Amino acid sequence: MSAEQIPVGTSSTTPTSIDSASTGASSFWDRATKWASEHKAVVYTIAGVTVVATGAGIYYYTSSPRNNGTTGSSASEKKRAKKDKRKNKKSAEEKSIQDDKEPKKPEPAKVEQAEEELPDVDESTVGAMSEQERKDTAAKLKAAGNKAYGSKDYNKAIELYGKAIICKADPVFYSNRAACWNMMSNWEKVIEDTTAAINIDNEYVKALNRRANAYEQSGQYSLALLDYTASCIIDAFRNDQSAQSVERLLKKVAEAKGKEILAGKEKKLPSPTFVTNYLQSFRPKPPPAGLEDTAELDENTGKGQLKKGIQAMSKKTGDSYTDAAAAFDKALELGDLGEHEAFAYNLRGTFRYLKGENQDALSDLSKSVDLQPALTQSFIKRASMHLELGELNSTFAPHYSNMINKTPGNREAAAKDFEAAMEQNKEDPDIYYHRAQLHFILSEFAEAAKDYQKSIELDKDFIFSHIQLGVTQYKMGSIASSMATFRRCMKNFDKVPDVYNYYGELLLDQQKYQEAIEKFDTAVDMEKQAKPMGMNVLPLINKALALFQWKQDFAGAEELCQKALIIDPECDIAVATMAQLLLQQGKVTEALTYFERAAELSRTEGEIINALSYAEATRTQLEVQEKYPQLASRLQGMGPGGMAPGMR
């Protein structure tokens, strides 16, 4: 895999009946953000970040292994199930028109007889009626409308409900007429009538659900999300179908906005923390002969630019990485690279990949392996890209977490690249290390452990093989073995800050807060001494999480996140952590700003969708409070941060 370390850790019609099984608010939001949180873990796998599953962490922490097999259902079975689901939902809508006190659905033949007994109603005749007469007449018309609806005579039902409304502007009458429009797929009319019902009774759950469905069917996803969310709050999250609708709409809104962002997004490098973690997932090697620091090369030549880029990479700052990317572009533009041409394509492809220019990156890496197959690193990087991009190299890639739950369509291509690399040099420890990453992501922990161990046997001095072996043992449930591995790491690599940082994460997961914070502090001190201009900010963020989880110390946690952002302003982990901390304190408006910033900083489609899902959940909370102020107290009663997804 391409990373240094790995995190450990619908249908066309929505039913509007509210008489379904109940779930709690907590389980609802767990489910509503599961797809995003799972993806976040893989995002930082690609970045080379190990994050251990903790009980109170930002949702890029994962907590359970995934099934990497297929579901076992055939395509025809799935098609039938989908058809049955649509049929059941339509049936639910038909039944939802009936109120608890209404008679059972009559035989069609009786409808005509009932209608003959109804008085002729219009604006003039109603004006002459007493209030009680209007009420009685409206009830008769509503009952007749229900019968017509039950007989699927929707036009007649619409007429009868309309006459009932003339007698009495009752929200139920509007909602029932909306149900008729719903069965006829007239979404504009559904919205019109349900809005009238909600204007009379703004906590009318059935009308809210009907309008939400109409908004969704007409592509107005943000409005649909708002209505479903309000419905869930009013109904105290007892309606599982409404909760699932919020989950679905969060995804749709995030995907729609994600496409807009991607269309105009400037391709640039992610934070230096991200870039550094990716680059150091490969064992450091000296520059090729002729490109050493002592080599005298004109910067106006391809080789001179290649040397300049290599030197810039070693500084590990945001500006230096930008300079390196520009130098590699220039080197290939100038040409005359000789034996270093494959190496130049490897490096330019690497930085193109980091900027999200995936097709160009694949092209460069393919040229590199064609020119110099012995450069195994190009095979490894291309294998990682095959796995990350998945089956979909189209305009909008799916969530990478979807590929975790099944065999990726291009896993075979990734495996072939690893095999090709081994044919060139089966003693290259990087091959086994990155193949282990692939196994880990697919929850094949036993296979991952074997490859990490093989990597260590070939090169015992590469710290990250040891760290990942310890993380894998932890995920396999071998806690004692994992702790022993990390203790050996601290003994043999006592000057490497990463060891203390990731060991601290394991301790945090076991709620050994004091020990965890001590390890994070040690990592921070080492980072400051070794890399004052480009330190890894992850220990600061991890300490912030520890303070929150242990002591609910929001002030201390925020201060640490702010320090991380001063050092690395584009570290989206720090931004997302800050957003979650603010959300937990009920600072919803401020949290939204940080969630939106996280989306801006995101590198890939999946990262953008993940960040936007949190932003939309937070934005919806604000809109619900503004549109339905009477619901604000209920949101506050759900705990810190209200309903939006947050730390668990």
Side-chain angles (χ1 to χ4, degrees):
M1 229 358 242
S2 63
E4 170 198 318
Q5 289 92 36
I6 294 176
V8 289
T10 78
S11 65
S12 61
T13 304
T14 303
T16 58
S17 174
I18 62 169
D19 301 322
S20 57
S22 64
T23 57
S26 177
S27 61
F28 156 62
W29 279 109
D30 287 345
R31 193 172 59 250
T33 56
K34 182 180 178 183
W35 61 272
S37 64
E38 287 180 344
H39 177 72
K40 194 67 173 179
V42 181
V43 167
Y44 288 102
T45 295
I46 302 304
V49 178
T50 295
V51 258
V52 183
T54 65
I58 305 306
Y59 248 83
Y60 58 78
Y61 285 59
T62 56
S63 59
S64 61
R66 297 163 179 79
N67 178 9
N68 56 358
T70 59
T71 62
S73 299
S74 67
S76 60
E77 287 173 336
K78 290 180 179 178
K79 189 174 181 181
R80 284 198 302 272
K82 195 170 184 180
K83 184 177 180 181
D84 291 342
K85 190 175 182 180
R86 286 197 299 268
K87 183 177 179 182
N88 291 337
K89 287 187 175 182
K90 189 170 183 180
S91 175
E93 175 60 60
E94 291 174 356
K95 292 178 181 178
S96 71
I97 200 74
Q98 304 292 342
D99 294 325
D100 293 340
K101 296 182 180 179
E102 289 298 327
K104 294 182 179 179
K105 191 192 312 181
E107 295 296 327
K110 296 182 181 179
V111 175
E112 234 178 88
Q113 180 182 352
E115 290 171 5
E116 291 175 359
E117 301 171 358
L118 295 173
D120 188 22
V121 172
D122 58 30
E123 295 287 352
S124 59
T125 58
V126 168
M129 293 181 183
S130 67
E131 183 177 346
Q132 187 60 46
E133 286 174 331
R134 290 183 186 185
K135 183 177 179 181
D136 293 342
T137 302
K140 290 178 182 179
L141 290 164
K142 177 204 170 191
N146 287 357
K147 292 174 184 178
Y149 180 93
S151 298
K152 297 182 174 26
D153 190 350
Y154 301 123
N155 285 316
K156 188 63 176 177
I158 287 169
E159 178 187 348
L160 291 164
Y161 290 135
K163 289 181 177 180
I165 290 169
I166 293 174
C167 296
K168 180 185 178 184
D170 190 302
V172 174
F173 303 164
Y174 282 108
S175 182
N176 283 3
R177 189 168 67 177
C180 298
W181 295 123
N182 186 84
M183 300 308 295
M184 300 165 73
S185 298
N186 190 331
W187 310 121
E188 184 177 349
K189 285 292 188 180
V190 174
I191 293 168
E192 181 182 320
D193 273 347
T194 50
T195 299
I198 294 164
N199 286 341
I200 299 169
D201 179 1
N202 60 12
E203 292 195 16
Y204 190 3
V205 169
K206 190 175 289 187
L208 280 165
N209 285 337
R210 284 199 176 114
R211 188 173 69 176
N213 177 58
Y215 279 139
E216 183 175 1
Q217 301 310 318
S218 55
Q220 301 178 73
Y221 299 137
S222 293
L223 291 172
L225 176 60
L226 178 61
D227 276 355
Y228 275 130
T229 302
S231 168
C232 284
I233 297 167
I234 293 167
D235 204 34
F237 296 90
R238 290 191 297 268
N239 188 318
D240 192 50
Q241 289 178 341
S242 296
Q244 290 172 355
S245 295
V246 173
E247 175 186 350
R248 182 179 63 256
L249 265 299
L250 274 174
K251 182 177 179 181
K252 282 187 176 182
V253 172
E255 287 181 345
K257 292 192 175 183
K259 288 182 180 180
E260 295 177 7
I261 290 175
L262 282 170
K265 186 176 179 61
E266 176 190 359
K267 299 293 185 181
K268 64 177 184 178
L269 290 171
S271 75
T273 297
F274 190 111
V275 176
T276 299
N277 281 321
Y278 176 83
L279 294 176
Q280 69 183 18
S281 70
F282 294 89
R283 285 164 171 78
K285 296 178 181 178
L291 297 176
E292 305 95 334
D293 288 344
T294 56
E296 296 183 3
L297 296 170
D298 185 348
E299 280 197 8
N300 294 317
T301 65
K303 291 179 182 177
Q305 284 294 312
L306 195 54
K307 174 188 171 184
K308 179 181 178 181
I310 294 170
Q311 290 177 326
M313 283 173 59
S314 66
K315 296 178 183 178
K316 301 181 179 181
T317 66
D319 289 341
S320 68
Y321 285 137
T322 299
D323 292 342
F328 299 140
D329 284 340
K330 189 69 173 177
L332 283 161
E333 179 186 324
L334 292 170
D336 193 25
L337 293 163
E339 62 182 334
H340 302 307
E341 186 176 4
F343 186 55
Y345 276 115
N346 174 292
L347 292 174
R348 188 175 74 172
T350 299
F351 277 82
R352 282 180 163 181
Y353 163 67
L354 289 167
K355 287 190 284 186
E357 299 171 349
N358 297 320
Q359 294 303 323
D360 290 339
L362 278 173
S363 176
D364 278 353
L365 293 171
S366 294
K367 288 177 182 176
S368 179
V369 298
D370 290 343
L371 288 167
Q372 189 180 339
L375 187 57
T376 56
Q377 192 183 95
S378 296
F379 281 113
I380 296 169
K381 290 177 179 177
R382 191 172 70 175
S384 301
M385 285 199 67
H386 282 316
L387 187 64
E388 180 185 0
L389 293 177
E391 302 169 5
L392 206 147
N393 269 335
S394 63
T395 56
F396 201 66
H399 305 116
Y400 192 61
S401 59
N402 291 339
M403 291 189 290
I404 295 176
N405 295 318
K406 59 182 179 180
T407 302
N410 57 358
R411 180 182 177 181
E412 183 179 351
K416 286 182 178 178
D417 272 342
F418 282 122
E419 290 172 6
M422 292 180 71
E423 289 175 4
Q424 295 297 321
N425 182 8
K426 65 179 181 180
E427 300 300 309
D428 183 349
D430 274 346
I431 298 172
Y432 300 95
Y433 175 79
H434 287 275
R435 189 173 69 176
Q437 305 287 72
L438 183 155
H439 288 307
F440 189 106
I441 285 178
L442 297 171
S443 297
E444 298 167 353
F445 300 124
E447 293 302 314
K450 289 179 184 177
D451 273 346
Y452 288 133
Q453 190 61 56
K454 178 66 174 179
S455 177
I456 292 170
E457 290 173 6
L458 292 170
D459 178 13
K460 62 181 178 58
D461 295 327
F462 186 61
I463 178 58
F464 299 114
S465 293
H466 296 273
I467 289 174
Q468 277 306 127
L469 177 61
V471 170
T472 302
Q473 291 168 333
Y474 195 86
K475 288 291 288 183
M476 294 173 72
S478 301
I479 309 301
S481 297
S482 175
M483 295 294 100
T485 297
F486 271 94
R487 284 193 291 271
R488 285 194 298 272
C489 286
M490 287 189 293
K491 179 180 179 181
N492 298 327
F493 302 93
D494 61 323
K495 303 299 182 184
V496 179
D498 302 270
V499 174
Y500 298 91
N501 179 52
Y502 300 125
Y503 184 48
E505 290 191 3
L506 295 180
L507 294 169
L508 179 58
D509 188 54
Q510 298 171 66
Q511 300 181 7
K512 298 179 179 179
Y513 303 116
Q514 185 64 55
E515 294 178 67
I517 289 175
E518 289 173 1
K519 296 298 182 290
F520 295 142
D521 283 338
T522 300
V524 169
D525 291 341
M526 289 183 174
E527 288 282 352
K528 288 178 180 177
Q529 294 173 13
K531 297 173 285 184
M533 299 300 294
M535 68 172 285
N536 187 338
V537 298
L538 293 179
L540 288 171
I541 300 169
N542 281 330
K543 183 179 178 181
L545 291 173
L547 287 176
F548 163 75
Q549 185 178 359
W550 185 18
K551 299 180 178 180
Q552 295 287 296
D553 183 357
F554 288 108
E558 282 188 40
E559 182 180 355
L560 289 166
C561 286
Q562 292 290 8
K563 284 183 180 178
L565 287 170
I566 291 171
I567 297 167
D568 186 353
E570 301 208 335
C571 179
D572 56 342
I573 304 179
V575 172
T577 304
M578 177 64 80
Q580 294 278 14
L581 289 169
L582 291 168
L583 195 63
Q584 292 302 303
Q585 299 172 74
K587 300 176 181 178
V588 183
T589 303
E590 295 174 62
L592 177 58
T593 301
Y594 277 92
F595 281 130
E596 290 175 336
R597 174 62 176 156
E600 293 173 5
L601 294 173
S602 298
R603 183 181 66 94
T604 66
E605 294 94 335
E607 292 177 57
I608 291 172
I609 292 169
N610 177 74
L612 286 174
S613 71
Y614 283 100
E616 289 309 310
T618 307
R619 190 193 320 281
T620 302
Q621 176 171 341
L622 287 171
E623 290 176 353
V624 167
Q625 290 175 323
E626 180 179 348
K627 192 170 183 179
Y628 304 99
Q630 75 277 13
L631 299 182
S633 60
R634 301 187 199 180
L635 279 171
Q636 294 167 3
M638 293 174 188
M643 66 171 192
M647 300 179 184
R648 299 296 188 237

